Amino acid sequence: MHGDLRDPRTAALPIVAAIGGMVVPALIYVALAGGGATGAGWGIPMATDIAFAVGVLGVLGRRVPSAARLFLLTLAIVDDIGAILVIAVFYTDELSLGWLGIALGLLAVMAVLRAARVWAVPVYVVLGVGVWFALLESGVHATLAGVAIGLLTPAVALLRPEVATDYAAEALRDNDLDADEPAPAALPGR
């Protein structure tokens, strides 16, 4: 939302590369394994190719140029999301539309609460567990719950910086740092 990848043109190259990085290993696997039960494992090599690149990034650290780091990490994220989607779509034995509907409904509730600026963590924990359980029961791989909830997670501060600064200054003046006490009513924008 706020980084270098907010421009679709910048994000396009690593996304296309990640899709190629998923499709090519799967095609090579199918070509070598053939059909039957062995050929059904084509989804396995899809997510393993990026582990090497991320390992190299970890070893080399800051010696890798920031553009290359951004490219490889974007590639890794898209590759992992793609692999999760492949598992969810192609390796699901039975699909329960009722449970899937419940999961989507809970995600919609989370989106509405976020839009209403409700930030109570226990509410989101309960909803998140509900989404995970509903996806698990639907037959879709439950790791998609984490991806969906992650995409709903705010990428901006909950308070504007000046409001947070005013609130902190007021709390320090009162010598009251109790997190359970509501913010002073005089502070707008909370």
Side-chain angles (χ1 to χ4, degrees):
M1 290 185 68
H2 301 287
D4 292 336
L5 297 177
R6 70 181 174 276
D7 177 21
R9 289 178 296 186
T10 305
L13 180 61
I15 289 172
V16 169
I19 292 169
M22 292 184 295
V23 171
V24 171
L27 290 176
I28 291 171
Y29 180 90
V30 169
L32 295 175
T38 307
W42 61 269
I44 295 169
M46 291 181 66
T48 57
D49 61 329
I50 201 63
F52 178 73
V54 173
V56 168
L57 277 180
V59 170
L60 296 179
R62 294 282 177 203
R63 291 178 292 224
V64 176
S66 62
R69 230 181 4 257
L70 176 67
F71 178 83
L72 283 173
L73 291 176
T74 304
L75 189 88
I77 291 167
V78 173
D79 187 74
D80 285 348
I81 291 172
I84 290 169
L85 288 173
V86 163
I87 290 168
V89 172
F90 295 103
Y91 291 96
T92 297
D93 292 331
E94 290 185 31
L95 184 65
S96 170
L97 293 178
W99 282 106
L100 188 59
I102 291 170
L104 292 174
L106 291 172
L107 286 169
V109 169
M110 290 176 98
V112 168
L113 289 173
R114 178 183 167 199
R117 298 186 56 85
V118 174
W119 307 122
V121 173
V123 172
Y124 288 99
V125 169
V126 169
L127 288 171
V129 169
V131 169
W132 176 85
F133 182 75
L135 274 180
L136 180 68
E137 291 298 313
S138 75
V140 174
H141 203 281
T143 54
L144 279 178
V147 173
I149 293 168
L151 291 172
L152 288 173
T153 302
V156 296
L158 300 179
L159 292 175
R160 292 187 318 267
E162 61 274 5
V163 173
T165 301
D166 291 345
Y167 178 63
E170 179 71 24
L172 287 172
R173 270 194 300 279
D174 291 345
N175 200 20
D176 179 16
L177 299 176
D178 186 6
D180 294 329
E181 191 172 309
L187 295 176
R190 178 127 199 305

